[in-house]
Amino acid sequence: MLLASLSLLAGCTTGKKKAVGRSNEDPLQKKFRGVYGVVLRTDATSPKKAIMITSETGRYIESPALLSLDAVHNLTYTDNSMPIPRTVRATWREGDARYVGQGVWEGGTIIGDYTVPVAERIPDVILDDIRKKGGALRIKIRLADDGILIGWDIERSVPIPNCKIGAGETCQAVQYFLPGGDFCEPRVFEGQRGWQNKTPASLQYDGNGRAAQ
């Protein structure tokens, strides 16, 4: 009888621990559950050099030598190899900066150093659409002279109508859906004009993660 009582007590204790664990789940982990992989696009409103972009954990997301509206970088992370950052910090330099490896620039003078929220701004409607229809979350980071602009959309491969496959060709094209945030780059193929809302220093965000007008 004593052993049976101890077993029952142990079972109840274990059950309570599991319940506490679920109630303490990180809200952002829950928010992005079922969304795998992310595409990162970075550019700048004017040329920026010796750039370091890091997450709130200090992880180096990207460290390009140059970003501008013409010098654009695109990176694809599969599965959970790059968790959605809560915040991103970007610095850039002028002068005699040198790349020393492992994502680090040294020397020169830091002339831009800004940190902005990312994960909390992504609307749930974007994530729900990815869960239902597939695709990859695309996060767009644009460096401006007075801060950082954040944008987002969904990247999907879609069939090209009336396509005839030739050597080395494909009948799939990349298209983007539900763009939002502080800016959107123009897309000639889709006939969509770009926009940029406000300068980062004046941005205030509404409940959907958009810049308030």
Side-chain angles (χ1 to χ4, degrees):
M1 291 293 292
L2 180 59
L3 289 175
S5 300
L6 289 174
S7 298
L8 180 59
L9 180 60
C12 292
T13 303
T14 302
K16 289 182 180 178
K17 286 183 178 179
K18 288 183 179 178
V20 170
R22 287 193 298 269
S23 63
N24 291 338
E25 182 180 18
D26 185 339
L28 285 181
Q29 287 184 345
K30 182 178 180 180
K31 176 185 177 78
F32 289 95
R33 183 182 296 153
V35 177
Y36 302 105
V38 61
V39 177
L40 179 69
R41 182 189 193 276
T42 55
D43 66 16
T45 57
S46 61
K48 305 289 186 289
K49 298 179 179 180
I51 301 145
M52 293 193 298
I53 301 175
T54 57
S55 71
E56 76 285 351
T57 64
R59 172 174 179 159
Y60 289 93
I61 298 174
E62 192 180 16
S63 301
L66 172 68
L67 286 176
S68 69
L69 292 178
D70 295 319
V72 179
H73 283 213
N74 292 279
L75 299 172
T76 300
Y77 297 89
T78 59
D79 297 328
N80 291 320
S81 59
M82 206 283 282
I84 309 301
R86 293 174 183 272
T87 64
V88 293
R89 177 190 180 192
T91 63
W92 53 93
R93 302 168 185 250
E94 66 179 3
D96 188 22
R98 62 190 181 281
Y99 185 70
V100 297
Q102 303 298 315
V104 177
W105 288 89
E106 292 183 349
T109 302
I110 295 177
I111 58 173
D113 187 347
Y114 299 95
T115 300
V116 295
V118 177
E120 67 183 35
R121 292 193 57 201
I122 308 299
D124 289 340
V125 64
I126 297 288
L127 307 177
D128 290 340
D129 199 74
I130 291 173
R131 293 186 189 100
K132 292 176 183 177
K133 302 178 184 178
L137 173 64
R138 193 168 70 133
I139 296 175
K140 301 179 290 184
I141 300 172
R142 173 168 288 178
L143 308 183
D145 293 341
D146 57 349
I148 305 171
L149 296 164
I150 298 295
W152 54 77
D153 55 32
I154 301 172
E155 180 179 298
R156 290 193 179 107
S157 293
V158 298
I160 301 174
N162 305 316
C163 175
K164 296 181 180 179
I165 300 178
E169 296 178 346
T170 178
C171 281
Q172 296 287 317
V174 174
Q175 288 191 11
Y176 304 98
F177 302 86
L178 301 180
D182 306 327
F183 75 98
C184 180
E185 74 283 7
R187 303 181 188 122
V188 177
F189 175 74
E190 299 172 41
Q192 178 177 315
R193 298 179 61 185
W195 77 78
Q196 182 169 307
N197 290 340
K198 296 183 178 181
T199 58
S202 64
L203 288 176
Q204 293 182 338
Y205 306 119
D206 64 18
N208 294 316
R210 302 187 185 92
Q213 298 298 310

